[in-house]
Amino acid sequence: MFRPKVPTNPAPTGIVTPLATVPAAVVQQPHTPAPVAPAAPARPTVQLTPGSVVALVGSGTAVVLVVGAVLVSMLLAVAITGASLAICALVIRSLITAEHKRR
């Protein structure tokens, strides 16, 4: 029960290729130097047109406004939740103290 069992593979899966045979004599070719690759051309500089600058400024402004709106809404959600919990705590405390005074 506690001895590990080694899985067996009854049949090979996939394509089986035979082993390549090694020739008896290996003929060495004379060493030729690798061809030198031409230098890569310099990357062109980015050309900013007035239209693309306006588009970049507009998209950046839109992103800032959307992220700001999301953060403000999350802050408001936390503030409203905290205020409602504080009001509930005050109401429960006043109910408990009023019940103790009646006895």
Side-chain angles (χ1 to χ4, degrees), residues 17-91:
T17 56
L19 296 174
T21 58
V22 179
V26 177
V27 178
Q28 299 234 347
Q29 297 289 333
H31 179 66
T32 56
V36 177
R43 294 178 63 188
T45 58
V46 177
Q47 300 288 331
L48 290 178
T49 61
S52 64
V53 170
V54 169
L56 283 174
V57 169
S59 62
T61 304
V63 166
V64 167
L65 289 176
V66 168
V67 169
V70 168
L71 291 177
V72 167
S73 65
M74 289 172 63
L75 178 65
L76 282 174
V78 169
I80 291 170
T81 303
S84 65
L85 285 175
I87 291 171
C88 288
L90 288 175
V91 169

Side-chain angles (χ1 to χ4, degrees), residues 94-103:
S94 68
L95 288 174
I96 290 173
T97 56
E99 188 173 324
H100 283 295
K101 287 183 181 179
R102 286 187 206 164
R103 291 182 184 189

